[in-house]
C-alpha cells in the first residue's frame, strides 16, 4: 500500500488523471474530456509508441471469434462505433487514421472447414458473414493458392493505422481541453484516508479526484502498490511489412494461422507471432520465416514481394483471459483498464466510453460488462 503522504505543491490538477498514453489510455482521455471534465494524461514515452504502435489495427469483432458472449457484444459495439468516431477524431485532431472499410476475408481449404466457420458465425449471430465460393473469391482476390476453395467474407470488419489512431485520440482529447504529459513516468499513487488524491511522477506531483490506470504491462507496479492482484503477462508478437509488386490487396485476409493487412503506400502487414512470457522486442529470423511461409501458403505472390521492415511488440495479456475495466477495490477513486491483449485497438472506443460513464457512477452490470469488473472477482473468490 502506498504511504499516506501530503505533497507541498502539485504541478497540475484534474478531476480525472489517466495513466498511460496507449490506445486504451488515449481513448479514455478523449471520452472523459468529451464529457467536459478536466483531464490529464500521463505517458512515459510518446502516445502510440508501446504495444499500441506495434499492432496491425484490425477491428476484427467477428473474425476474432470471441467465445465469451459479453466480450463479443462489447467488441461488436466498439467496432460499430468507429465510422462516427473516426469522423470526430479526424475533424478534431486533423490526423488521418487510414480507416479502411473493404472488409475481412477468412479463407478455407475444404468444404468441411468452411461449413464449420459458417455454422460458428450463425451460432454467434454474426451480422455480416457472406459465403464466397471459389469463383467469387478468385474474382475478388486474384492469385490465391489453388487449394483455397472459398471464404467467409465479413463486410463490417474494418481496420485503421494504430499509431495514427492513438495520436488522433490524444490530439482530440487535447483539443477538448485535456493536458497531455509525454515523457512522464507515474511512480506512485498517493492515498489519503482510503482515497486517491494524486500521483507522484518523475516530473513532480499531480493531484486529482480520480485516477485511471491504463498503462498496459506498466500498470502492474501501480496496481500492486494498492494491493490489487490482476496478473498480466507479455505475449510477444512479431509483424513484417512487405510491398506486393502487382495487384495490391484490397481485403484483409484473416486466416487461422496468419493475417495479411493492406495499408497505405502499397504496404502489406503480415502477422503475428504469439510468444507468451517473452519480454524482448527483438524480431527473430525464425519468426519472420514462419510468418512469410504461412502468408505465402495463402497468397503465393508474397514470395515475390519486397521487404520493407519488421517489428515486435508486447501485448498485455491478463491471466484471467479478459480485460479488467472498472473501479479497483480497496481504494476510492482508483479505476483500471488493463489486459486487452491483442484487441486494444478494437476495444478502445467501447472501453473509453465505459470508463467515462463509470467515472460518473455507472456500474459494470448496467453497462453489460460485469465479467470485466471486480464484482466478478468477488464471486469467483467465494
Amino acid at each position: 500500500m502506498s504511504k499516506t503522504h501530503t505533497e507541498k505543491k502539485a504541478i497540475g490538477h484534474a478531476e480525472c488523471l489517466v495513466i498511460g498514453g496507449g490506445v486504451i489510455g488515449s481513448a479514455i482521455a478523449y471520452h472523459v474530456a468529451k464529457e467536459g471534465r478536466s483531464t490529464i494524461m500521463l505517458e512515459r514515452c510518446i502516445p502510440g509508441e508501446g504495444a499500441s504502435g506495434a499492432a496491425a489495427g484490425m477491428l476484427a469483432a467477428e473474425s476474432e471469434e470471441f467465445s465469451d458472449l459479453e466480450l463479443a457484444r462489447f467488441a461488436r459495439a466498439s467496432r460499430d462505433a468507429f465510422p462516427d468516431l473516426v469522423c470526430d477524431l479526424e475533424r478534431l485532431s486533423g490526423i488521418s487514421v487510414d480507416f479502411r472499410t473493404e472488409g475481412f476475408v477468412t479463407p478455407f481449404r475444404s468444404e468441411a472447414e468452411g461449413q464449420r466457420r459458417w455454422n460458428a458465425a450463425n451460432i454467434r449471430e454474426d451480422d455480416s458473414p457472406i459465403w464466397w465460393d471459389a469463383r467469387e473469391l478468385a474474382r475478388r482476390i486474384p492469385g490465391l493458392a489453388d487449394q483455397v476453395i472459398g471464404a467467409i467474407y465479413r463486410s463490417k470488419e474494418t481496420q485503421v493505422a494504430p499509431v495514427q489512431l492513438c495520436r488522433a485520440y490524444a490530439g482530440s482529447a487535447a483539443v477538448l481541453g485535456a493536458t497531455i504529459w509525454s515523457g512522464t513516468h507515474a511512480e506512485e499513487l498517493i492515498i489519503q484516508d482510503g482515497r486517491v488524491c494524486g500521483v507522484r511522477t518523475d516530473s513532480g506531483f499531480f493531484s486529482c479526484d480520480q485516477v485511471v490506470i491504463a498503462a498496459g504491462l506498466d500498470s502492474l507496479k501501480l496496481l500492486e502498490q494498492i494491493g490489487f492482484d490482476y496478473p498480466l503477462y507479455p505475449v510477444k508478437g512479431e509483424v513484417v511489412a512487405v510491398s506486393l509488386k502487382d495487384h495490391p490487396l484490397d481485403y484483409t485476409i484473416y486466416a487461422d494461422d496468419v493475417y495479411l493487412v493492406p495499408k497505405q503506400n502499397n504496404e502489406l502487414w503480415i502477422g503475428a507471432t504469439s510468444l507468451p512470457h517473452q519480454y524482448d522486442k527483438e524480431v527473430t529470423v525464425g519468426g519472420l520465416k514462419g510468418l512469410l511461409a504461412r502468408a505465402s501458403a495463402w497468397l503465393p505472390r508474397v514470395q515475390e514481394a519486397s521487404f520493407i521492415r519488421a517489428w515486435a511488440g508486447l501485448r498485455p495479456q491478463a491471466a484471467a483471459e479478459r480485460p479488467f475495466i472498472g473501479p479497483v477495490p480497496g481504494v476510492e477513486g482508483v479505476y483500471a483498464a488493463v489486459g486487452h491483449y491483442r484487441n486494444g485497438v478494437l476495444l478502445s472506443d467501447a472501453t473509453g466510453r465505459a470508463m467515462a460513464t463509470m467515472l460518473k457512477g455507472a456500474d459494470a452490470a448496467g453497462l453489460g460488462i460485469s465479467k470485466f469488473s471486480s464484482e466478478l472477482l468477488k464471486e469467483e473468490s467465494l
Side-chain angles (χ1 to χ4, degrees):
M1 175 70 72
S2 174
K3 294 180 180 179
T4 300
H5 182 125
T6 300
E7 297 284 343
K8 292 182 179 179
K9 185 177 180 181
I11 59 175
H13 173 81
E15 293 173 88
C16 177
L17 191 150
V18 181
I19 300 174
V23 71
I24 297 297
S26 295
I28 293 169
Y30 164 71
H31 280 290
V32 173
K34 192 176 180 181
E35 295 282 346
R37 305 187 67 204
S38 60
T39 308
I40 291 174
M41 186 179 82
L42 308 178
E43 165 55 37
R44 66 182 180 88
C45 298
I46 297 173
E49 281 198 345
S52 301
M58 296 182 295
L59 308 177
E62 295 172 24
S63 302
E64 187 76 355
E65 297 188 353
F66 294 105
S67 58
D68 183 277
L69 290 178
E70 192 171 272
L71 183 55
R73 293 189 192 103
F74 193 66
R76 199 172 303 178
S78 196
R79 179 204 62 190
D80 292 348
F82 263 79
D84 290 338
L85 170 73
V86 167
C87 289
D88 290 342
L89 294 182
E90 292 185 341
R91 174 179 56 83
L92 287 167
S93 70
I95 298 171
S96 170
V97 303
D98 190 23
F99 185 50
R100 304 188 64 147
T101 61
E102 293 86 351
F104 284 27
V105 174
T106 297
F108 48 82
R109 297 185 175 99
S110 71
E111 288 287 344
E113 174 63 12
Q115 197 61 55
R116 182 193 70 78
R117 289 187 175 281
W118 184 256
N119 292 341
N122 285 305
I123 289 171
R124 292 194 309 271
E125 299 180 349
D126 289 356
D127 52 15
S128 65
I130 298 172
W131 182 287
W132 282 357
D133 60 18
R135 179 178 297 181
E136 181 68 12
L137 184 57
R139 185 178 74 83
R140 300 275 191 163
I141 309 178
L144 286 171
D146 293 340
Q147 298 88 349
V148 183
I149 66 167
I152 304 297
Y153 169 64
R154 293 180 169 90
S155 63
K156 290 191 175 182
E157 304 282 71
T158 52
Q159 53 127 326
V160 296
V163 174
Q164 287 95 307
L165 175 68
C166 191
R167 292 176 181 171
Y169 271 132
S172 297
V175 170
L176 294 171
T179 303
I180 312 299
W181 282 73
S182 298
T184 301
H185 177 57
E187 298 176 339
E188 182 183 19
L189 300 181
I190 306 302
I191 312 299
Q192 290 185 340
D193 300 321
R195 181 179 183 85
V196 69
C197 64
V199 178
R200 181 173 60 81
T201 77
D202 57 0
S203 297
F205 172 71
F206 293 83
S207 63
C208 62
D209 301 322
Q210 296 169 314
V211 63
V212 181
I213 301 171
L217 292 166
D218 290 339
S219 303
L220 278 173
K221 182 178 178 182
L222 294 172
L223 293 173
E224 289 170 353
Q225 287 177 8
I226 55 175
F228 183 56
D229 183 23
Y230 201 77
L232 304 172
Y233 62 90
V235 180
K236 177 180 170 180
E238 298 157 304
V239 183
V240 57
V242 302
S243 177
L244 295 175
K245 292 186 177 180
D246 301 305
H247 306 295
L249 197 63
D250 292 323
Y251 304 95
T252 294
I253 296 178
Y254 195 104
D256 268 344
D257 56 351
V258 71
Y259 52 74
L260 294 82
V261 189
K263 297 292 185 179
Q264 286 183 334
N265 303 319
N266 198 30
E267 289 192 11
L268 181 68
W269 293 6
I270 300 169
T273 58
S274 185
L275 305 167
H277 302 288
Q278 293 202 16
Y279 290 83
D280 70 273
K281 295 182 182 179
E282 296 177 358
V283 179
T284 64
V285 172
L288 292 188
K289 183 178 178 181
L291 288 173
L292 293 171
R294 292 192 291 276
S296 299
W298 293 106
L299 191 68
R301 57 196 175 96
V302 166
Q303 298 179 62
E304 302 171 0
S306 301
F307 174 83
I308 299 176
R309 65 187 183 281
W311 64 93
L314 303 179
R315 311 177 188 99
Q317 170 69 302
E321 297 187 349
R322 58 178 174 266
F324 179 92
I325 302 171
V328 175
V331 181
E332 191 174 352
V334 178
Y335 296 75
V338 296
H340 290 71
Y341 184 38
R342 55 191 268 167
N343 293 299
V345 172
L346 167 62
L347 300 176
S348 61
D349 182 71
T351 299
R353 290 175 187 271
M355 186 58 69
T357 306
M358 284 181 163
L359 293 173
K360 295 189 299 181
D363 61 16
L367 295 172
I369 54 172
S370 298
K371 289 186 177 180
F372 310 156
S373 72
S374 57
E375 292 303 313
L376 182 69
L377 295 180
K378 291 177 184 177
E379 293 175 11
E380 291 179 342
S381 65
L382 295 177

